[in-house]
Amino acid sequence: MNTSLPLTVLEGKLEQITYFNKETLYIIAKLKPGNTENLVTIVGFMGGVSLGEALKIMGEWETHTKYGQQFRIKSYDVTLPASVEGIRNYLKSGIIKGIGPMMAGRLVKRFGADTLNVIENCPEKLLEVEGIGKTKAASISNAWKDHHAIRSLMQFLQEAGVKTSYSAILLKEYGLDALNIIQSNPYCLANDIPGIGFYMADAIALKLGKLENEPERARACIIHLIQQSANDGHVFAYLDQLTARCKNLFQIESEAAEQAIEDLSASGELIIENKVEVPDKKRDKKAVYLKALHQAEAGLANRLKALLSVPVVPQGIDTEQISNEVLKKLAIKLSQEQLNVLEKIFSHRAVIITGGPGTGKTTLIRSINAVFKALGKQISLAAPTGRAARRLAELTHRNAKTIHRLLGYNFKDNLFDKNRDNPLDADAVIIDEASMVDTYLMFHLLNAIPMTSMLIMVGDIFQLPSVGPGNVLDDMIKSDIIPVFYLKKIFRQARESSIVLNAHRVLKGEFPLLKHINEPADLSEFYFIEQNNPEKVVSTIAELCTRAIPERFGFDPIKEVQVLTPMHKGVVGTINLNQVLQKVLNPNPVTINAVNNSFKPGDKVMHLKNNYQKEVFNGDIGTIISIDGKKEELSVDFYGRAVSYDFTETGELSLAYAISVHKSQGSEYPAVIIPLMTQHYALLQRNLLYTAITRGEKLVILIGMKKALDIALKNDRPRQRLSMLADRLSTYRLSDK
């Protein structure tokens, strides 16, 4: 039973627009209801309206903690005038481009109360008015359609049960003709807007009377499900599971789903491989790939095989020379384990170096640099994210780039400048944090590496896998065709760290050695606060950030403390934690309202996607240093460099007092706080906990339930990612292995 309250109707004239985001259509405005002089604040998604227009708004009253009572827009309509005088005043106001006071008078004189209907539905009749030719008539008709296109689109979505906030996405994709396009071919949304597109398309199509088993719907559903599978990290999906999900989730019969897969395979959009071994079931199944992912996985395997087939020219350098060179250049005396690795890697075309915290991976990268420099070789350093690349550059004192920047990625054209025809100019390429590299990116990286170059991949295989599809580093190791060097020795300084000690205990599934933060003892690095109530977890985190950590450990609560949580939603998710921490850490009264956040000067924010024009990358964290309401822009300090954002670009930012564990990969923070609750059950995994702990440099505080900690430690079987990379690679063996 639907228990939601009926919407309230508010009618009046639009008097003032306080804030409007062109990208999202989010508006804060003032409405004057009826004949009163009182202005009402209206907020929500609304477009295609002008000052002075009469509006009929459906919505709900709410009370904002700072701004008081306001009206939340759910849907709206422009109340067009019906009287001749009202129509004349409406048109002569300039709302419709090309119609001024004189033209408005002529139109009303000719068509009277039917004027607006003629403009909208019978524009050819405009030729009957003095001074209007074919060009002018078309111009007036188009101006009318443009002005009302956004409103019409939002009304249509509302009637179809689709969130009106999606209007901005549709307008960006299709322009002002969006409504006509989606009405004529709703399932184009499934391809054009991955993720949410199919749900929108399905709601619209069913509203338009489409049938559940129509071929067009079945094909769109298959594409949606396999894209969803890729978003979950899988490179392919099993055919029988695809058809079962079509039936269970969208009531599409198996026969229709199978026919859709055949049709998509025939058109080249999907690739089907007939035999995939499923060890636990002792049988083969059909694997269904998106064409681009199949090309990436197969191409990656073939390119790596080709690289490994090229003989390596001996470098003519022995262990003693390596040791002396590293000692001279870096003032570091290498361990025997590190020396053994260094001596061997130079005789292979591609290698993997892996190990946990404190095992010397960074020292090896610096040492490899020193040896290559002594040999007069050209080396390129890269990492998957901007933060990881920046950290790599700081540790090696050499230039390091993101892999995208190294390959010259052009986001507009979705192309890489560096490829087989235009390879990298490097004798060796070192990739740090290689466990974060997905199938697509590794394919393009290998395409750009010359056959005469060396590829050295460094990473911690126990961390979370890449956000994108595949488990590339792990699959390469499983294939047994690439030499893998495991660093196991934990160095003395690292052994003295309770963070490193407990990270390795977590890897073994052992309970970390826990100390309560209130225990009267010397300052430690690793603490646990047991708390079973989610609300109290949040209030304790706020207390830790505002008082306990700054006073006891001296860390800046905004710049040096990072909260890491497994989820976005819920009481202990990033969304709620950010709102709470913003309130207690940044009481600045100056605020701008974006769609998903309210931002203030002094806020800690994260950039959400690579923006090479601004030279800011996905996951970069900065501080808002100014907000200019008149210019409608804000400025963010990223690592000592100010970057400006127009208010319409604030969708690229989110609050970052709390971030997801996945977003933290490739970074380290002086202090981290990690809430663990049984509400996080779906994401309580050993590698997630390990990844979170190893982000802390000097202080790690776990807070939550011991039961949740126990679940994470016992769950060493994160859901297997569907990939055939290891199988493709294992068909090839080096002759000297």
Side-chain angles (χ1 to χ4, degrees):
M1 184 175 69
N2 186 0
T3 58
S4 61
L5 295 173
L7 296 177
T8 300
V9 178
L10 190 66
E11 295 187 66
K13 185 182 290 186
L14 187 63
E15 288 288 325
Q16 177 185 330
I17 297 176
T18 308
Y19 171 77
F20 181 64
N21 188 316
K22 297 173 186 175
E23 289 285 310
T24 62
L25 305 182
Y26 186 81
I27 193 170
I28 302 172
K30 300 287 187 182
L31 190 80
K32 186 168 78 170
N35 296 319
T36 69
E37 293 301 318
N38 298 325
L39 297 181
V40 172
T41 299
I42 58 173
V43 297
F45 297 94
M46 185 166 70
V49 294
S50 299
L51 291 175
E53 283 193 293
L55 304 178
K56 180 180 179 181
I57 303 174
M58 283 64 75
E60 300 170 337
W61 289 103
E62 62 182 27
T63 302
H64 191 279
T65 54
K66 180 178 178 182
Y67 299 106
Q69 194 177 52
Q70 54 190 27
F71 195 77
R72 174 69 58 178
I73 304 163
K74 297 297 182 181
S75 64
Y76 71 100
D77 196 1
V78 174
T79 305
L80 294 174
S83 69
V84 171
E85 189 59 30
I87 293 171
R88 181 185 289 108
N89 291 334
Y90 178 75
L91 291 176
K92 75 178 186 180
S93 68
I95 286 174
I96 305 303
K97 189 177 179 182
I99 301 179
M102 289 183 65
M103 183 59 69
R106 290 178 197 165
L107 287 166
V108 172
K109 183 178 179 180
R110 175 67 185 85
F111 302 115
D114 200 36
T115 301
L116 300 184
N117 178 55
V118 168
I119 295 173
E120 182 167 10
N121 301 308
C122 309
E124 67 280 358
K125 289 187 177 182
L126 295 175
L127 297 173
E128 300 172 12
V129 177
E130 180 188 351
I132 297 182
K134 289 185 178 180
T135 302
K136 183 70 172 178
S139 175
I140 291 173
S141 176
N142 290 334
W144 176 272
K145 289 177 182 177
D146 289 353
H147 181 69
H148 292 282
I150 299 174
R151 173 176 58 87
S152 300
L153 174 63
M154 296 183 92
Q155 285 179 328
F156 179 80
L157 295 181
Q158 175 77 19
E159 292 167 4
V162 176
K163 290 181 180 179
T164 54
S165 57
Y166 291 143
S167 299
I169 298 172
L170 297 175
L171 289 165
K172 189 172 184 179
E173 182 69 27
Y174 303 121
L176 292 172
D177 202 31
L179 180 57
N180 290 332
I181 291 171
I182 63 176
Q183 283 180 323
S184 61
N185 181 21
Y187 286 110
C188 67
L189 296 171
N191 280 325
D192 297 338
I193 306 175
I196 59 172
F198 177 75
Y199 293 103
M200 280 197 288
D202 214 31
I204 291 166
L206 294 177
K207 177 183 181 294
L208 294 172
K210 302 282 186 181
L211 300 177
E212 286 184 341
N213 286 300
E214 284 194 7
E216 188 181 24
R217 181 173 187 254
R219 289 193 295 270
C221 183
I222 291 294
I223 292 294
H224 163 69
L225 289 175
I226 202 164
Q227 285 174 338
Q228 194 176 64
S229 179
N231 291 339
D232 290 337
H234 302 298
V235 184
F236 66 84
Y238 288 119
L239 188 147
D240 60 347
Q241 291 176 356
L242 274 176
T243 56
R245 292 187 73 197
C246 280
K247 173 71 173 175
N248 296 336
L249 296 176
F250 302 103
Q251 294 72 54
I252 296 173
E253 297 298 332
S254 298
E255 294 80 3
E258 288 174 4
Q259 184 60 53
I261 292 172
E262 286 185 27
D263 293 344
L264 291 165
S265 174
S267 68
E269 292 179 70
L270 297 181
I271 304 294
I272 300 173
E273 293 212 2
N274 289 322
K275 291 192 176 182
V276 178
E277 185 180 352
V278 185
D280 58 330
K281 296 185 179 179
K282 305 294 183 185
R283 63 191 178 92
D284 293 339
K285 296 170 74 173
K286 290 185 177 181
V288 183
Y289 286 83
L290 288 170
K291 180 181 179 180
L293 263 175
H294 185 271
Q295 289 177 334
E297 185 180 83
L300 160 56
N302 291 334
R303 186 68 175 174
L304 187 56
K305 292 174 188 178
L307 180 65
L308 292 169
S309 70
V310 179
V312 178
V313 178
Q315 298 297 329
I317 186 168
D318 58 27
T319 305
E320 186 177 350
Q321 290 172 298
I322 291 172
S323 180
N324 291 337
E325 195 59 43
V326 171
L327 186 61
K328 181 174 72 175
K329 290 283 193 338
L330 305 177
I332 294 173
K333 185 170 176 57
L334 298 173
S335 69
Q336 191 57 51
E337 181 184 55
Q338 290 172 321
L339 279 171
N340 290 342
V341 172
L342 275 173
E343 185 179 28
K344 291 175 182 175
I345 64 172
F346 294 109
S347 30
H348 298 285
R349 186 61 63 191
V351 299
I352 294 171
I353 300 171
T354 186
T359 56
K361 296 189 299 295
T362 302
T363 298
L364 267 180
I365 292 175
R366 295 178 64 198
S367 301
I368 293 167
N369 268 286
V371 173
F372 268 109
K373 190 173 182 180
L375 293 170
K377 302 290 185 181
Q378 178 71 29
I379 193 165
S380 291
L381 295 173
T385 68
R387 288 172 299 158
R390 192 174 292 107
R391 180 169 165 267
L392 180 60
E394 290 169 356
L395 293 170
T396 59
H397 304 291
R398 289 179 60 97
N399 183 35
K401 301 177 179 178
T402 64
I403 298 175
H404 281 86
R405 181 173 282 279
L406 180 72
L407 301 181
Y409 183 52
N410 183 327
F411 273 80
K412 185 178 180 181
D413 300 323
N414 194 28
L415 295 172
F416 289 90
D417 178 53
K418 296 296 181 181
N419 48 46
R420 294 189 192 189
D421 299 325
N422 182 29
L424 295 165
D425 182 18
D427 297 303
V429 177
I430 298 180
I431 303 299
D432 195 18
E433 300 287 357
S435 63
M436 297 172 64
V437 184
D438 64 25
T439 302
Y440 283 121
L441 191 54
M442 188 63 80
F443 166 63
H444 288 291
L445 174 65
L446 280 164
N447 269 345
I449 292 177
M451 289 289 104
T452 55
S453 183
M454 278 184 63
L455 173 61
I456 301 167
M457 293 169 282
V458 183
D460 186 343
I461 57 170
F462 299 110
Q463 287 188 25
L464 292 170
S466 59
V467 174
N471 201 359
V472 176
L473 192 69
D474 195 50
D475 282 347
M476 285 183 174
I477 292 172
K478 286 178 182 175
S479 73
D480 199 32
I481 72 166
I482 302 175
V484 182
F485 299 96
Y486 296 91
L487 301 177
K488 298 178 180 178
K489 179 183 176 182
I490 303 174
F491 287 88
R492 183 184 64 79
Q493 186 176 359
R495 283 201 307 270
E496 294 172 356
S497 164
S498 56
I499 296 174
V500 172
L501 172 66
N502 281 322
H504 284 275
R505 289 181 67 87
V506 166
L507 275 183
K508 299 173 186 175
E510 299 173 358
F511 245 81
L513 301 175
L514 303 177
K515 179 181 284 189
H516 197 282
I517 198 165
N518 293 324
E519 291 179 13
D522 293 337
L523 292 184
S524 181
E525 295 178 325
F526 198 100
Y527 295 94
F528 177 74
I529 301 173
E530 187 169 6
Q531 179 53 259
N532 296 328
N533 182 289
E535 285 78 13
K536 288 186 177 178
V537 167
V538 173
S539 62
T540 303
I541 290 173
E543 168 68 9
L544 287 169
C545 290
T546 55
R547 190 187 62 80
I549 291 178
E551 290 180 6
R552 188 167 181 182
F553 299 92
F555 293 125
D556 183 301
I558 295 179
K559 295 181 180 178
E560 297 181 306
V561 179
Q562 185 62 60
V563 179
L564 305 177
T565 182
M567 298 179 73
H568 293 294
K569 296 181 179 179
V571 177
V572 198
T574 59
I575 297 170
N576 183 56
L577 279 168
N578 272 317
Q579 291 174 351
V580 171
L581 292 173
Q582 181 192 46
K583 186 175 180 180
V584 297
L585 291 174
N586 188 13
N588 196 316
V590 178
T591 306
I592 65 153
N593 292 298
V595 180
N596 298 317
N597 295 283
S598 293
F599 293 122
K600 306 177 179 182
D603 269 340
K604 183 178 187 177
V605 293
M606 173 181 282
H607 188 86
L608 299 176
K609 62 180 183 180
N610 291 342
N611 187 324
Y612 285 89
Q613 188 174 1
K614 293 183 185 293
E615 294 189 3
V616 187
F617 306 102
N618 183 12
D620 278 351
I621 290 179
T623 305
I624 296 178
I625 51 179
S626 67
I627 295 177
D628 190 326
K630 290 183 179 180
K631 293 183 178 179
E632 293 194 342
E633 66 180 27
L634 58 81
S635 183
V636 182
D637 181 341
F638 287 107
Y639 314 105
R641 187 174 66 88
V643 178
S644 293
Y645 291 80
D646 185 275
F647 279 3
T648 61
E649 299 174 314
T650 54
E652 295 184 24
L653 297 172
S654 72
L655 292 174
Y657 299 100
I659 64 174
S660 70
V661 179
H662 277 90
K663 281 287 189 182
S664 74
Q665 288 193 89
S667 294
E668 288 186 350
Y669 313 94
V672 299
I673 302 171
I674 307 163
L676 287 173
M677 304 298 290
T678 52
Q679 288 93 327
H680 299 149
Y681 186 84
L683 292 171
L684 290 177
Q685 300 169 359
R686 192 186 297 178
N687 63 348
L688 182 137
L689 177 59
Y690 171 77
T691 300
I693 288 172
T694 53
R695 300 310 92 202
E697 294 177 307
K698 300 175 182 177
L699 177 66
V700 172
I701 299 175
L702 301 181
I703 176 170
M705 305 166 71
K706 279 191 176 178
K707 183 179 179 181
L709 179 57
D710 186 52
I711 291 170
L713 290 170
K714 289 178 179 176
N715 182 11
D716 194 29
R717 290 188 179 181
R719 194 156 56 95
Q720 183 183 4
R721 291 188 165 194
L722 299 179
S723 161
M724 290 176 64
L725 179 61
D727 296 327
R728 296 182 196 280
L729 290 173
S730 61
T731 59
Y732 171 84
R733 289 286 185 271
L734 286 175
S735 59
D736 60 347
K737 282 186 65 71

